Amino acid sequence: MLDIAEELNRWVEQGRDFAVATVVAVGGSAPRRPGAALAVDADGTAIGSVSGGCVEGAVYELCRQALEDGESVLERFGYSDDDAFAVGLTCGGIIDILVTPVRVGDRVRPVIAAGLAAAASGGATALARIVTGPADLVGRALVVRRRGTDENGSRMSASHDSGFQGSASYDSGFHGGTSYDSGFHGGTSYDSGFRDSTSYDSGFRDSTSYDSGFRESTSYDSGYYEGGFGAHPELDRTVAAEAGAFLDAGRTGTLEIGEQGSRCGAPLTVLVESSVPPPRMIVFGAIDFASALVRVGKFLNYRVTVCDARPVFATEARFPEADEIVVEWPHRYLERTEVDARTVLCVLTHDAKFDVPLLRLALRLPVAYVGAMGSRRTHLDRNARLREVGVTELELARLRSPIGLDLGARTPEETALSIAAEIVADRRGGSGVSLTGAHTPIHHDAGSAPTGRIGSVA
């Protein structure tokens, strides 16, 4: 539901009752991805979409029913072949949709409202909701925010506490175990690469509970969470850590977990929705190809920065659509700016005095993509220079050079499309080959197949 957070936040502020239908999981060529939502208020006003039109009418009625009876329901829609007039997906996919009432006085409303407000403000936020499991847990929610970010998701200084509650002093959030890894719970029965540490209590602080069984904002290793499931305390802590990992990756999807916060016990299905600020695209080299790439980057919803050491080229007049223009030596700017695992770096300068120190640094950063423009001769010369300054073969293997996919591009616009296509293929795991005659999946998003039992969940 965070994809329509701005509108839903207004509904909350206006005191409206509403029901929201959220895509939990998809299989095959379903038109919308997990997290897509349609909401209906008490007056029948609808916003959003869950299927691009295939099942909107049926989902609308489910929302109206949820508003009346106050019960959540998980419904599966699939391909309707035998009956052309049946409700189903004409594309042949499968879609699981969770419908949840959010009414004034409902115990889940304060937590969902907090998540909507945070996402609407542009902050990095994850909303975790129990989709399947015991009736008293289904529909309960928990909101995770990251430590070290302000309301707009920008990085803050380490000494700024940003009003976190529930912890008078902060000691990196670690308790007991020295083998703590990435904020995940460390039970020995917990797989997926988690560390063992039987004395570790997940790095979460205790907090007193308040009405409706929800917890106050509780700080942990790299963020804090609000709400909770009112069951075993370890469940809140583990789900918050898992949701934090989803948030770091900007990912929305489901996870299976035990009632007591481990991989053991009766499984719960939890939907985690992430809302994050746009990823960064940093374009080095204020040339005509950069101007076209800025436009394509904005189209793909990147926050685009253009950096060049030459002030005569790095101007707002030349790049009116860029979010930021920086006049500085590229490697010096990269040393001081914030990047993350979603950041893409496009080096278009093809000038050794700029490229070598910049790429030496870029190839050692945990970013999503590093590409460099130039001919094949330039590529070979640049690689030799990079080896001379200590860049390893493993680091060089990360470099996409010559930049872009083979589209036969010539113009700046065609070249920008070639670069963007490679970025998308790299992000989604695509092959870059034509779909005509290929036997590869059209969509490459992992973890989207429907799981868990389907039916009434409340």
Side-chain angles (χ1 to χ4, degrees):
M1 72 172 75
L2 297 186
D3 70 330
I4 52 174
E6 190 171 342
E7 295 91 339
L8 288 183
N9 187 53
R10 282 196 293 267
W11 284 9
V12 170
E13 291 175 343
Q14 294 165 1
R16 297 197 208 183
D17 289 343
F18 60 91
V20 60
T22 308
V23 176
V24 173
V26 301
S29 297
R32 299 298 306 275
R33 312 311 299 161
L38 180 149
V40 180
D41 73 359
D43 294 329
T45 302
I47 57 174
S49 172
V50 291
S51 71
C54 301
V55 299
E56 307 295 286
V59 174
Y60 179 90
E61 294 303 325
L62 287 174
C63 288
R64 297 283 298 218
Q65 184 63 41
L67 272 173
E68 289 183 16
D69 58 30
E71 293 185 356
S72 298
V73 64
L74 181 64
E75 192 74 26
R76 170 167 288 181
F77 295 92
Y79 177 59
S80 296
D81 190 22
D82 297 333
D83 184 354
F85 295 98
V87 174
L89 299 178
T90 57
C91 60
I94 297 172
I95 184 171
D96 291 349
I97 295 177
L98 173 67
V99 181
T100 304
V102 184
R103 305 178 301 181
V104 174
D106 289 349
R107 62 187 177 187
V108 74
R109 186 178 176 106
V111 180
I112 288 180
L116 293 173
S121 72
T125 308
L127 175 65
R129 288 183 287 161
I130 295 181
V131 175
T132 64
D136 61 331
L137 293 182
V138 168
R140 295 223 183 176
L142 181 148
V143 175
V144 170
R145 301 289 302 278
R146 306 308 290 163
R147 179 176 291 278
T149 59
D150 62 18
E151 290 301 314
N152 294 315
S154 301
R155 301 297 300 176
M156 300 185 302
S157 65
S159 62
H160 190 169
D161 190 54
S162 189
F164 296 131
Q165 301 175 21
S167 175
S169 61
Y170 182 69
D171 61 356
S172 300
F174 299 152
H175 288 275
T178 57
S179 57
Y180 177 77
D181 181 46
S182 301
F184 296 96
H185 178 255
T188 55
S189 62
Y190 207 64
D191 53 35
S192 302
F194 297 108
R195 302 289 187 178
D196 294 334
S197 175
T198 55
S199 64
Y200 179 64
D201 73 356
S202 301
F204 293 89
R205 298 290 186 177
D206 294 331
S207 68
T208 57
S209 60
Y210 68 100
D211 61 314
S212 302
F214 294 120
R215 294 187 179 275
E216 296 175 348
S217 296
T218 305
S219 62
Y220 67 106
D221 66 294
S222 57
Y224 63 102
Y225 65 91
E226 301 172 54
F229 306 121
H232 196 285
E234 198 68 20
L235 177 61
D236 290 357
R237 298 166 178 169
T238 305
V239 170
E242 293 271 16
F246 273 64
L247 182 58
D248 286 341
R251 180 184 168 216
T252 290
T254 58
L255 61 93
E256 297 285 331
I257 202 165
E259 282 188 58
Q260 296 187 359
S262 72
R263 296 293 185 184
C264 300
L268 308 172
T269 302
V270 181
L271 170 66
V272 180
E273 299 177 66
S274 295
S275 177
V276 293
R280 296 193 67 189
M281 172 184 284
I282 308 179
V283 181
F284 297 97
I287 61 176
D288 52 352
F289 289 91
S291 180
L293 184 57
V294 167
R295 295 196 296 274
V296 175
K298 292 299 295 180
F299 178 76
L300 292 177
N301 197 37
Y302 281 94
R303 179 176 176 268
V304 183
T305 298
V306 176
C307 176
D308 197 301
R310 302 165 296 181
V312 67
F313 295 114
T315 65
E316 291 186 12
R318 285 169 55 82
F319 301 96
E321 295 179 322
D323 295 288
E324 181 183 29
I325 299 172
V326 177
V327 179
E328 190 171 350
W329 275 77
H331 71 282
R332 291 174 183 165
Y333 173 69
L334 188 58
E335 285 174 343
R336 67 175 178 84
T337 194
E338 291 285 346
V339 297
D340 60 26
R342 301 181 300 145
T343 302
V344 300
L345 306 178
C346 301
V347 181
L348 309 186
T349 46
H350 53 86
D351 184 330
K353 68 175 178 292
F354 295 123
D355 289 1
V356 172
L358 173 60
L359 289 172
R360 182 188 181 205
L361 172 61
L363 293 172
R364 293 170 179 172
L365 293 176
V367 295
Y369 174 91
V370 182
M373 178 178 279
S375 67
R376 297 194 184 279
R377 178 179 295 178
T378 298
H379 165 73
L380 293 174
D381 176 72
R382 184 166 50 211
N383 278 5
R385 293 174 183 270
L386 288 170
R387 290 187 183 97
E388 289 175 0
V389 296
V391 177
T392 68
E393 295 302 318
L394 187 61
E395 291 166 344
L396 277 177
R398 296 185 60 205
L399 179 60
R400 299 297 188 127
S401 173
I403 195 170
L405 296 184
D406 179 13
L407 304 183
R410 285 189 176 274
T411 68
E413 290 74 19
E414 290 172 347
T415 302
L417 180 61
S418 166
I419 296 169
E422 183 172 60
I423 290 170
V424 172
D426 193 71
R427 176 183 178 186
R428 299 298 188 187
S431 65
V433 303
S434 174
L435 290 173
T436 303
H439 299 286
T440 58
I442 295 176
H443 304 297
H444 290 261
D445 292 307
S448 61
T451 57
R453 61 181 178 83
I454 303 300
S456 178
V457 295

